[in-house]
Amino acid sequence: MPARYWVLSGLLAAAPDLDAVGFWFGVPYASLLGHRGLTHSIPFAATIAGLVVLLAFRRPLPISRWRIWLQLFLATASHGLFDMLTDGGLGIALWSPFSNERLFFPWTPVEVSPLYPSAFFSEWGWKVVCNEAVWVMLPTVGLLAGVEVIRALNASKRKSAAI
């Protein structure tokens, strides 16, 4: 895949937090455009992924545009879903703009991150990084390792079947 695929995947995974700039402009936290509002929703993830596919992936590619859309959608939607595991804030407007109800998962093991850089580079920020290492990074590495093991086993089966 071209580099733009990987760069855009990373950017879209972080994009929902662009709504935090609303704090500087007086946007109320609980509003549709407030932090963890519209930009953290499933409809937003679907829409932004579609727009990016239309604008950035016009030429023929090794995989279909639907698969690219799915990857970009999952990258964007994962942000809101992970935020639903945090222990602070008002929750996520997962279905915005159709509903502005703020939701959390029943289990919220991830410490909420500070919004301001000065607070992030503090003891609180360090605690958040350590907490996310346990609840986000380690499971992700485990999942990726499991996928690689399955791929290797399947490749081995295909190789032995061809012999």
Short mmCIF file of all heavy atoms in Angstrom, two decimals, residues 17 36 82-83 85-89 108-139:
data_model
loop_
_atom_site.label_atom_id
_atom_site.label_comp_id
_atom_site.label_asym_id
_atom_site.label_seq_id
_atom_site.Cartn_x
_atom_site.Cartn_y
_atom_site.Cartn_z
N ASP A 17 -9.95 13.89 18.14
CA ASP A 17 -9.60 14.84 19.20
C ASP A 17 -9.38 16.26 18.69
O ASP A 17 -9.13 17.17 19.49
CB ASP A 17 -8.38 14.36 19.98
CG ASP A 17 -8.77 13.45 21.13
OD1 ASP A 17 -9.97 13.42 21.50
OD2 ASP A 17 -7.88 12.77 21.68
N ARG A 36 -15.49 15.12 22.46
CA ARG A 36 -16.07 13.78 22.47
C ARG A 36 -17.51 13.78 21.98
O ARG A 36 -18.29 12.90 22.31
CB ARG A 36 -15.95 13.13 23.85
CG ARG A 36 -14.52 12.86 24.25
CD ARG A 36 -14.45 12.15 25.57
NE ARG A 36 -13.11 11.63 25.82
CZ ARG A 36 -12.80 10.91 26.88
NH1 ARG A 36 -13.70 10.63 27.79
NH2 ARG A 36 -11.57 10.47 27.03
N PHE A 82 -12.29 3.51 22.14
CA PHE A 82 -11.29 3.49 23.23
C PHE A 82 -11.61 4.55 24.28
O PHE A 82 -11.46 4.30 25.48
CB PHE A 82 -9.87 3.70 22.69
CG PHE A 82 -9.22 2.45 22.20
CD1 PHE A 82 -8.83 2.33 20.88
CD2 PHE A 82 -8.98 1.38 23.06
CE1 PHE A 82 -8.23 1.17 20.42
CE2 PHE A 82 -8.38 0.22 22.61
CZ PHE A 82 -8.00 0.11 21.28
N ASP A 83 -12.06 5.72 23.84
CA ASP A 83 -12.43 6.77 24.80
C ASP A 83 -13.60 6.34 25.69
O ASP A 83 -13.75 6.82 26.81
CB ASP A 83 -12.77 8.08 24.10
CG ASP A 83 -11.53 8.89 23.75
OD1 ASP A 83 -10.41 8.47 24.10
OD2 ASP A 83 -11.68 9.95 23.12
N LEU A 85 -13.77 3.67 27.13
CA LEU A 85 -13.17 2.88 28.21
C LEU A 85 -12.53 3.76 29.28
O LEU A 85 -12.03 3.25 30.27
CB LEU A 85 -12.10 1.93 27.64
CG LEU A 85 -12.61 0.76 26.80
CD1 LEU A 85 -11.44 0.09 26.08
CD2 LEU A 85 -13.35 -0.24 27.67
N THR A 86 -12.53 5.08 29.07
CA THR A 86 -11.88 5.97 30.04
C THR A 86 -12.78 6.26 31.22
O THR A 86 -14.00 6.12 31.15
CB THR A 86 -11.45 7.29 29.38
OG1 THR A 86 -12.60 7.98 28.91
CG2 THR A 86 -10.46 7.05 28.25
N ASP A 87 -12.15 6.71 32.30
CA ASP A 87 -12.87 6.92 33.56
C ASP A 87 -13.23 8.38 33.83
O ASP A 87 -13.49 8.75 34.96
CB ASP A 87 -12.05 6.36 34.72
CG ASP A 87 -10.73 7.08 34.91
OD1 ASP A 87 -10.40 7.99 34.12
OD2 ASP A 87 -10.00 6.72 35.85
N GLY A 88 -13.23 9.22 32.80
CA GLY A 88 -13.53 10.63 33.04
C GLY A 88 -14.24 11.28 31.88
O GLY A 88 -14.43 10.69 30.82
N GLY A 89 -14.64 12.52 32.09
CA GLY A 89 -15.34 13.25 31.05
C GLY A 89 -16.84 12.97 31.08
O GLY A 89 -17.37 12.41 32.04
N THR A 108 -14.55 0.80 32.77
CA THR A 108 -13.73 1.94 32.34
C THR A 108 -12.36 1.90 33.01
O THR A 108 -12.07 2.70 33.90
CB THR A 108 -14.45 3.27 32.64
OG1 THR A 108 -14.75 3.31 34.05
CG2 THR A 108 -15.73 3.41 31.84
N PRO A 109 -11.48 0.99 32.56
CA PRO A 109 -10.18 0.84 33.21
C PRO A 109 -9.12 1.86 32.80
O PRO A 109 -8.08 1.97 33.44
CB PRO A 109 -9.75 -0.55 32.77
CG PRO A 109 -10.32 -0.68 31.40
CD PRO A 109 -11.66 0.02 31.49
N VAL A 110 -9.37 2.62 31.72
CA VAL A 110 -8.35 3.53 31.20
C VAL A 110 -8.50 4.90 31.86
O VAL A 110 -9.58 5.49 31.84
CB VAL A 110 -8.47 3.65 29.67
CG1 VAL A 110 -7.43 4.62 29.12
CG2 VAL A 110 -8.32 2.28 29.01
N GLU A 111 -7.39 5.40 32.42
CA GLU A 111 -7.42 6.73 33.04
C GLU A 111 -7.58 7.79 31.96
O GLU A 111 -6.92 7.72 30.92
CB GLU A 111 -6.13 6.98 33.82
CG GLU A 111 -6.04 6.18 35.09
CD GLU A 111 -4.85 6.58 35.93
OE1 GLU A 111 -4.55 7.79 36.03
OE2 GLU A 111 -4.23 5.69 36.50
N VAL A 112 -8.44 8.77 32.22
CA VAL A 112 -8.66 9.83 31.25
C VAL A 112 -7.40 10.68 31.14
O VAL A 112 -6.72 10.96 32.13
CB VAL A 112 -9.90 10.68 31.63
CG1 VAL A 112 -9.66 11.51 32.87
CG2 VAL A 112 -10.35 11.52 30.46
N SER A 113 -7.09 11.06 29.91
CA SER A 113 -5.88 11.84 29.64
C SER A 113 -6.14 13.33 29.84
O SER A 113 -7.23 13.82 29.52
CB SER A 113 -5.45 11.58 28.19
OG SER A 113 -4.29 12.30 27.89
N PRO A 114 -5.14 14.05 30.31
CA PRO A 114 -5.30 15.50 30.40
C PRO A 114 -5.40 16.10 28.99
O PRO A 114 -4.81 15.57 28.05
CB PRO A 114 -4.04 15.97 31.11
CG PRO A 114 -3.09 14.84 31.08
CD PRO A 114 -3.85 13.59 30.80
N LEU A 115 -6.12 17.19 28.86
CA LEU A 115 -6.32 17.81 27.55
C LEU A 115 -5.25 18.84 27.21
O LEU A 115 -5.06 19.16 26.05
CB LEU A 115 -7.69 18.47 27.49
CG LEU A 115 -8.88 17.51 27.49
CD1 LEU A 115 -10.18 18.28 27.60
CD2 LEU A 115 -8.86 16.67 26.24
N TYR A 116 -4.58 19.37 28.20
CA TYR A 116 -3.63 20.44 27.95
C TYR A 116 -2.21 19.90 28.05
O TYR A 116 -1.89 19.12 28.96
CB TYR A 116 -3.85 21.59 28.94
CG TYR A 116 -5.24 22.16 28.81
CD1 TYR A 116 -6.25 21.78 29.68
CD2 TYR A 116 -5.53 23.04 27.77
CE1 TYR A 116 -7.54 22.28 29.54
CE2 TYR A 116 -6.82 23.54 27.63
CZ TYR A 116 -7.81 23.16 28.51
OH TYR A 116 -9.07 23.65 28.35
N PRO A 117 -1.32 20.32 27.12
CA PRO A 117 0.05 19.81 27.13
C PRO A 117 0.76 19.98 28.47
O PRO A 117 1.50 19.10 28.91
CB PRO A 117 0.74 20.62 26.03
CG PRO A 117 -0.37 21.01 25.11
CD PRO A 117 -1.57 21.20 26.01
N SER A 118 0.54 21.10 29.14
CA SER A 118 1.22 21.32 30.42
C SER A 118 0.82 20.26 31.44
O SER A 118 1.64 19.81 32.23
CB SER A 118 0.91 22.72 30.96
OG SER A 118 -0.49 22.87 31.14
N ALA A 119 -0.44 19.84 31.42
CA ALA A 119 -0.90 18.81 32.34
C ALA A 119 -0.45 17.43 31.89
O ALA A 119 -0.21 16.54 32.71
CB ALA A 119 -2.43 18.85 32.47
N PHE A 120 -0.31 17.25 30.56
CA PHE A 120 0.11 15.95 30.07
C PHE A 120 1.55 15.65 30.48
O PHE A 120 1.89 14.52 30.80
CB PHE A 120 -0.04 15.87 28.55
CG PHE A 120 0.13 14.48 28.04
CD1 PHE A 120 -0.91 13.57 28.13
CD2 PHE A 120 1.33 14.05 27.52
CE1 PHE A 120 -0.76 12.27 27.69
CE2 PHE A 120 1.50 12.75 27.07
CZ PHE A 120 0.45 11.85 27.16
N PHE A 121 2.40 16.68 30.49
CA PHE A 121 3.79 16.50 30.89
C PHE A 121 3.93 16.72 32.39
O PHE A 121 4.65 17.59 32.86
CB PHE A 121 4.71 17.42 30.09
CG PHE A 121 4.73 17.09 28.63
CD1 PHE A 121 4.03 17.86 27.72
CD2 PHE A 121 5.40 15.96 28.17
CE1 PHE A 121 4.02 17.53 26.37
CE2 PHE A 121 5.40 15.62 26.83
CZ PHE A 121 4.71 16.41 25.92
N SER A 122 3.18 15.91 33.13
CA SER A 122 3.17 15.99 34.58
C SER A 122 3.06 14.57 35.12
O SER A 122 3.03 13.60 34.36
CB SER A 122 1.95 16.81 35.05
OG SER A 122 0.75 16.10 34.75
N GLU A 123 2.95 14.45 36.44
CA GLU A 123 2.78 13.13 37.05
C GLU A 123 1.49 12.46 36.55
O GLU A 123 1.47 11.27 36.28
CB GLU A 123 2.76 13.26 38.57
CG GLU A 123 2.72 11.92 39.27
CD GLU A 123 2.76 12.05 40.79
OE1 GLU A 123 3.13 13.12 41.29
OE2 GLU A 123 2.40 11.06 41.45
N TRP A 124 0.44 13.25 36.40
CA TRP A 124 -0.82 12.73 35.89
C TRP A 124 -0.63 12.15 34.48
O TRP A 124 -1.07 11.04 34.18
CB TRP A 124 -1.86 13.84 35.88
CG TRP A 124 -3.22 13.46 35.32
CD1 TRP A 124 -3.73 12.21 35.11
CD2 TRP A 124 -4.23 14.37 34.89
NE1 TRP A 124 -5.00 12.28 34.58
CE2 TRP A 124 -5.33 13.60 34.43
CE3 TRP A 124 -4.33 15.75 34.84
CZ2 TRP A 124 -6.50 14.18 33.94
CZ3 TRP A 124 -5.49 16.32 34.36
CH2 TRP A 124 -6.56 15.54 33.91
N GLY A 125 0.05 12.90 33.62
CA GLY A 125 0.31 12.43 32.26
C GLY A 125 1.10 11.14 32.24
O GLY A 125 0.81 10.22 31.45
N TRP A 126 2.10 11.02 33.11
CA TRP A 126 2.90 9.80 33.18
C TRP A 126 2.05 8.61 33.63
O TRP A 126 2.17 7.52 33.10
CB TRP A 126 4.09 10.00 34.11
CG TRP A 126 4.93 8.77 34.27
CD1 TRP A 126 5.11 8.05 35.40
CD2 TRP A 126 5.66 8.10 33.24
NE1 TRP A 126 5.92 6.97 35.15
CE2 TRP A 126 6.27 6.97 33.82
CE3 TRP A 126 5.87 8.33 31.88
CZ2 TRP A 126 7.07 6.08 33.11
CZ3 TRP A 126 6.67 7.45 31.16
CH2 TRP A 126 7.26 6.35 31.78
N LYS A 127 1.16 8.85 34.60
CA LYS A 127 0.25 7.78 35.05
C LYS A 127 -0.64 7.31 33.90
O LYS A 127 -0.90 6.12 33.75
CB LYS A 127 -0.62 8.26 36.22
CG LYS A 127 0.06 8.31 37.54
CD LYS A 127 -0.93 8.75 38.61
CE LYS A 127 -0.30 8.74 39.98
NZ LYS A 127 -1.26 9.17 41.01
N VAL A 128 -1.11 8.25 33.10
CA VAL A 128 -1.97 7.91 31.96
C VAL A 128 -1.19 7.06 30.95
O VAL A 128 -1.70 6.05 30.45
CB VAL A 128 -2.54 9.18 31.30
CG1 VAL A 128 -3.19 8.87 29.96
CG2 VAL A 128 -3.53 9.85 32.23
N VAL A 129 0.04 7.45 30.65
CA VAL A 129 0.85 6.69 29.70
C VAL A 129 1.06 5.27 30.21
O VAL A 129 0.92 4.30 29.44
CB VAL A 129 2.20 7.39 29.44
CG1 VAL A 129 3.17 6.50 28.68
CG2 VAL A 129 1.97 8.70 28.67
N CYS A 130 1.38 5.11 31.46
CA CYS A 130 1.58 3.77 32.04
C CYS A 130 0.30 2.96 32.01
O CYS A 130 0.30 1.77 31.67
CB CYS A 130 2.12 3.88 33.47
SG CYS A 130 3.78 4.55 33.55
N ASN A 131 -0.82 3.60 32.34
CA ASN A 131 -2.11 2.93 32.32
C ASN A 131 -2.47 2.48 30.91
O ASN A 131 -2.93 1.36 30.69
CB ASN A 131 -3.18 3.88 32.89
CG ASN A 131 -4.56 3.28 32.88
OD1 ASN A 131 -5.30 3.45 31.91
ND2 ASN A 131 -4.92 2.59 33.94
N GLU A 132 -2.25 3.35 29.92
CA GLU A 132 -2.56 2.99 28.53
C GLU A 132 -1.63 1.90 28.02
O GLU A 132 -2.03 1.10 27.16
CB GLU A 132 -2.52 4.22 27.63
CG GLU A 132 -3.72 5.11 27.85
CD GLU A 132 -3.85 6.23 26.84
OE1 GLU A 132 -3.07 6.27 25.85
OE2 GLU A 132 -4.73 7.09 27.03
N ALA A 133 -0.42 1.85 28.53
CA ALA A 133 0.49 0.76 28.14
C ALA A 133 -0.11 -0.58 28.53
O ALA A 133 -0.06 -1.55 27.77
CB ALA A 133 1.86 0.95 28.78
N VAL A 134 -0.73 -0.63 29.71
CA VAL A 134 -1.32 -1.88 30.19
C VAL A 134 -2.62 -2.20 29.46
O VAL A 134 -2.83 -3.33 29.02
CB VAL A 134 -1.59 -1.79 31.72
CG1 VAL A 134 -2.41 -2.96 32.21
CG2 VAL A 134 -0.26 -1.71 32.47
N TRP A 135 -3.51 -1.21 29.31
CA TRP A 135 -4.86 -1.48 28.80
C TRP A 135 -5.03 -1.32 27.29
O TRP A 135 -6.02 -1.80 26.74
CB TRP A 135 -5.88 -0.61 29.52
CG TRP A 135 -5.97 -0.97 30.96
CD1 TRP A 135 -5.53 -0.21 32.02
CD2 TRP A 135 -6.50 -2.16 31.52
NE1 TRP A 135 -5.76 -0.88 33.19
CE2 TRP A 135 -6.36 -2.08 32.91
CE3 TRP A 135 -7.08 -3.31 30.99
CZ2 TRP A 135 -6.77 -3.08 33.77
CZ3 TRP A 135 -7.50 -4.31 31.83
CH2 TRP A 135 -7.34 -4.19 33.21
N VAL A 136 -4.08 -0.65 26.63
CA VAL A 136 -4.21 -0.43 25.18
C VAL A 136 -3.04 -1.04 24.42
O VAL A 136 -3.23 -1.86 23.52
CB VAL A 136 -4.34 1.08 24.85
CG1 VAL A 136 -4.44 1.30 23.35
CG2 VAL A 136 -5.54 1.69 25.56
N MET A 137 -1.81 -0.65 24.79
CA MET A 137 -0.65 -1.08 24.01
C MET A 137 -0.36 -2.57 24.12
O MET A 137 -0.15 -3.24 23.11
CB MET A 137 0.57 -0.25 24.41
CG MET A 137 0.46 1.21 24.02
SD MET A 137 1.86 2.16 24.62
CE MET A 137 1.04 3.63 25.20
N LEU A 138 -0.34 -3.11 25.33
CA LEU A 138 -0.06 -4.55 25.48
C LEU A 138 -1.10 -5.43 24.79
O LEU A 138 -0.72 -6.36 24.06
CB LEU A 138 0.08 -4.92 26.95
CG LEU A 138 1.37 -4.46 27.63
CD1 LEU A 138 1.34 -4.82 29.12
CD2 LEU A 138 2.59 -5.07 26.97
N PRO A 139 -2.40 -5.17 24.96
CA PRO A 139 -3.37 -5.98 24.22
C PRO A 139 -3.22 -5.85 22.70
O PRO A 139 -3.40 -6.82 21.96
CB PRO A 139 -4.73 -5.45 24.68
CG PRO A 139 -4.45 -4.85 26.01
CD PRO A 139 -3.06 -4.29 25.93
#
